[in-house]
Amino acid sequence: MRKHPLSLCLLLLLTLQGSAEKQIDYFEGYETQFYQTNPSTTQTIPSTDASVQTPSQSQTPTPAPSPIPFEYAENDPLHFGNPTDAIADPSSPNNYLMIKPQFSLSYNKDTFTANWVAWHLCKNDIGDADRSNKFIADKELPQDWYALKKADYKFTAYGFDRGHLCPSADRTSSAQDNQQTFLMTNMIPQAPDCNRNTWKKLEEYERDLAQKGNELYIFAGGLGKGGTGNTGYFEGILIDQGEILVPQYCWKIILVLPEGDDDFNRVTQDSQVIAVCIPNKQGCQEAGSWNAYTCTIDYLEEQLNMDFFELLPYEIEAALED
């Protein structure tokens, strides 16, 4: 007997409803962790078959990486890390952090010199300001610490220049910026041949890189004990308050990037780095220019017990420092 079309529709709907109720009863007997979404209700129900899933169900979303908690902003010289974890606390007198607009440094109260000075260099830092030539005590040291004066280097007796770590010519955009480079906390005793020849040529090279559209992150300091100045070999310069350390070597590390933004994510394993360790003695220029004294960052880290660019991903840091 032929059924009426309306009756067929009603029968089909009843059949589908019964099937759905049985399916739900069937699902309730399982405790699987897979879920499928009912598009019409946006409710979720357990699924018994982990192999039957939509693409969105079969792939666990990858959480976005947590942002690196930068303590120092881009273009700050410590953007990629503080190599000795220096702190601005007098209870850490031999690793005392000093932050200035022109550069940052870790000061050592016992040696009267910086463990390192760090600065960022770009073409905007280079202008027309004259060289100050006024060496001054750093009044930002803790009040009960002795702040070196210009006369303390006693050039006539010991024969060492007051050698800039952050160069005067790297800060010529204003007279104030240039004056800050003449703070005595930015000086180390340097053999004249080192300061005025080999070291100077590297300073000129870094400014040339900046003028050509690069930005540089730079660290510099002294290594070891004992250098040879105009009047001979000395391990220190005696003052009433102690002894100013004369380093055996003058070192520098430079990371070079094309000018731009998002510096952290633009550093690659192929980024240009320069590391040098120059003897602090008369005649050092006879071996050639600064590139006769290149070394690896790993070597300097081992000798200095410091960790440079520690915030970079390990693979990139390792490639740059090897």
Side-chain angles (χ1 to χ4, degrees):
M1 181 176 65
R2 187 176 181 184
K3 295 186 181 290
H4 191 278
L6 180 59
S7 299
L8 290 172
C9 291
L10 290 172
L11 179 61
L12 178 60
L13 288 172
L14 289 171
T15 301
L16 291 172
Q17 181 180 5
S19 174
E21 289 172 350
K22 289 179 180 179
Q23 185 181 26
I24 292 172
D25 289 341
Y26 177 74
F27 288 156
E28 288 176 346
Y30 291 81
E31 295 179 352
T32 63
Q33 296 303 309
F34 296 95
Y35 291 87
Q36 64 184 25
T37 302
N38 183 333
S40 63
T41 63
T42 68
Q43 295 176 344
T44 58
I45 57 175
S47 170
T48 58
D49 189 355
S51 66
V52 181
Q53 299 177 9
T54 64
S56 62
Q57 294 160 343
S58 62
Q59 299 175 2
T60 303
T62 302
S66 300
I68 295 175
F70 290 115
E71 186 175 357
Y72 301 98
E74 184 168 304
N75 298 337
D76 186 287
L78 301 183
H79 184 56
F80 296 102
N82 177 336
T84 58
D85 295 324
I87 56 174
D89 187 334
S91 66
S92 180
N94 295 333
N95 191 23
Y96 181 69
L97 181 65
M98 304 182 75
I99 302 291
K100 304 177 185 296
Q102 297 78 18
F103 53 86
S104 298
L105 65 100
S106 163
Y107 186 74
N108 191 313
K109 179 175 179 284
D110 285 352
T111 66
F112 299 96
T113 60
N115 299 310
W116 50 260
V117 172
W119 66 103
H120 176 268
L121 177 65
C122 66
K123 60 186 177 185
N124 291 336
D125 296 312
I126 304 170
D128 299 324
D130 292 333
R131 178 181 169 94
S132 166
N133 270 336
K134 184 180 179 181
F135 294 87
I136 55 176
D138 194 332
K139 299 301 183 183
E140 293 182 4
L141 287 169
Q143 191 171 4
D144 59 340
W145 293 11
Y146 179 69
L148 288 181
K149 304 184 297 294
K150 174 182 178 180
D152 287 328
Y153 269 52
K154 304 175 183 176
F155 181 81
T156 303
Y158 291 92
F160 293 99
D161 287 350
R162 293 172 291 271
H164 284 71
L165 291 173
C166 176
S168 162
D170 280 14
R171 291 290 182 260
T172 53
S173 62
S174 71
Q176 173 63 19
D177 279 355
N178 188 262
Q179 176 59 71
Q180 288 295 97
T181 68
F182 285 85
L183 289 168
M184 292 300 294
T185 48
N186 185 42
M187 305 296 154
I188 57 172
Q190 270 188 319
D193 281 352
C194 177
N195 182 40
R196 305 174 195 180
N197 290 288
T198 315
W199 192 253
K200 179 182 178 182
K201 290 183 185 303
L202 179 54
E203 292 175 338
E204 292 170 346
Y205 180 68
E206 69 196 35
R207 285 190 293 275
D208 184 59
L209 287 172
Q211 295 280 32
K212 290 179 178 177
N214 295 291
E215 55 181 303
L216 292 71
Y217 288 84
I218 310 173
F219 290 88
L223 167 63
K225 186 174 184 178
T228 305
N230 264 350
T231 60
Y233 174 85
F234 294 94
E235 295 186 350
I237 298 172
L238 294 175
I239 57 176
D240 291 342
Q241 295 75 17
E243 187 174 89
I244 305 168
L245 175 69
V246 175
Q248 183 178 6
Y249 297 94
C250 302
W251 61 267
K252 182 174 283 189
I253 293 171
I254 305 173
L255 170 63
V256 184
L257 297 173
E259 276 194 336
D261 297 321
D262 195 19
D263 290 355
F264 187 89
N265 290 311
R266 293 191 299 119
V267 180
T268 71
Q269 296 181 12
D270 297 320
S271 293
Q272 182 183 2
V273 291
I274 300 167
V276 299
C277 192
I278 303 171
N280 189 27
K281 65 180 184 180
Q282 291 296 89
C284 63
Q285 77 279 11
E286 294 171 6
S289 190
W290 60 266
N291 38 18
Y293 298 107
T294 56
C295 61
T296 66
I297 298 175
D298 275 340
Y299 171 78
L300 288 176
E301 286 184 331
E302 181 179 350
Q303 299 299 313
L304 295 162
N305 193 27
M306 298 182 189
D307 188 5
F308 298 95
F309 310 120
E310 60 180 335
L311 295 182
L312 287 172
Y314 174 77
E315 297 79 6
I316 295 178
E317 181 187 2
L320 294 179
E321 295 181 351
D322 187 9

